[in-house]
Amino acid sequence: MSDQSTHLPAPSRRRLLLILGVVLAILTAVNVADKFGPRHTGLVAGPLVALTLVLIARRAGLSWHDLGLSRRTLLPGLKYALGAVAIVAVVYTAGAAIPATRVVFHDVRYHLHPGAALLTAFVVVPLGTVLLEEVAFRGVLLGLVNRHRGATWASITSSVLFGLWHILPSLRLTQVNQAVGAALGVGITGRILAIVGAVAFTALAGLLLCELRRRSGSLLAAAALHWATNGLGLLIAAALATTSLT
């Protein structure tokens, strides 16, 4: 892929809104299909939709640098990526070792056989979750809004949409996560609070991922932090569940 800055002119505001509408419609369809469709729908749809969104963005005039996919920022992105994974690993290890915080990792979704846990962490999470979400929110959406409204609006817009993206995945959060269920209750009020909390938390996480993407210039850094948060958390939860069973 070329890093040349010669790309199509930035779209007009009307065309930008149209492109954003198309991107959001695609993401909404994928989100619903992943929640209510066959198991691991995202594993197949994720890479295909990510590629489609990149093609749409390139057609709209975004460069590889706008998308965080420039070769020039690959090395800085790798450095940030390794640092992010190391920090998450240290924090999670400490959290799992302390009884007061260990309950956070008690999530029935991650009560997996070691082989299934490894497959999920290193295949399903990267391809079915991280790839699409990083390309969509820290690549395409961030790049499109940044070209017209600047970095601040781009980060806010991307992060709010990232938070809303997590409404469907958080519908059963009080039932599958012991800590959340104990804190909020499993009734309708607790479920609503859990959804609102999940949206707010992931929106804030989105801001952090956007800042990491901005500082490194690469999607690789944000993707690494995103994977570490999900993948390492899954592995630790699965390990704790296996240990408690044995």
Side-chain angles (χ1 to χ4, degrees):
M1 65 180 64
S2 173
D3 292 333
Q4 297 297 322
S5 59
T6 56
H7 45 72
L8 295 174
S12 65
R13 178 172 295 183
R14 183 175 179 179
R15 188 175 175 220
L16 172 67
L17 292 176
L18 176 61
I19 294 168
L20 287 174
V22 170
V23 171
L24 293 178
I26 292 173
L27 290 175
T28 300
V30 173
N31 201 357
V32 172
D34 189 41
K35 175 64 178 179
F36 300 107
R39 192 172 180 221
H40 294 324
T41 296
L43 187 59
V44 176
L48 294 177
V49 174
L51 176 60
T52 300
L53 295 181
V54 168
L55 293 176
I56 291 173
R58 289 287 290 167
R59 183 65 180 171
L62 296 191
S63 67
W64 293 116
H65 182 74
D66 292 330
L67 294 170
L69 298 173
S70 170
R71 288 179 296 183
R72 291 176 297 170
T73 56
L74 182 61
L75 184 56
L78 180 60
K79 293 178 180 178
Y80 273 93
L82 293 175
V85 172
I87 291 172
V88 173
V90 170
V91 172
Y92 276 9
T93 300
I98 301 172
T101 55
R102 188 180 302 151
V103 67
V104 175
F105 296 95
H106 293 168
D107 193 315
V108 298
R109 293 172 296 181
Y110 306 142
H111 289 185
L112 303 172
H113 182 275
L118 290 172
L119 180 65
T120 303
F122 291 105
V123 177
V124 176
V125 170
L127 295 181
T129 300
V130 175
L131 176 62
L132 174 59
E133 292 183 359
E134 291 309 314
V135 167
F137 294 99
R138 261 68 64 181
V140 175
L141 290 172
L142 189 74
L144 283 170
V145 180
N146 183 52
R147 288 285 297 277
H148 284 262
R149 298 299 300 272
T152 300
W153 272 107
S155 294
I156 293 173
T157 302
S158 168
S159 299
V160 169
L161 292 172
F162 186 57
L164 295 175
W165 167 266
H166 286 83
I167 290 177
L168 288 182
S170 63
L171 291 179
R172 296 181 61 250
L173 189 57
T174 57
Q175 296 171 288
V176 298
N177 188 289
Q178 181 177 330
V180 175
L184 302 178
V186 295
I188 185 64
T189 301
R191 292 175 63 183
I192 293 174
L193 290 174
I195 293 170
V196 172
V199 170
F201 177 81
T202 50
L204 290 174
L207 287 174
L208 174 61
L209 291 168
C210 285
E211 180 62 15
L212 191 58
R213 152 82 169 83
R214 186 189 69 81
R215 287 179 177 272
S216 66
S218 174
L219 270 186
L220 182 60
L225 178 58
H226 193 162
W227 173 82
T229 303
N230 290 14
L232 293 181
L234 183 153
L235 291 174
I236 291 176
L240 289 175
T242 301
T243 301
S244 65
L245 290 175
T246 55

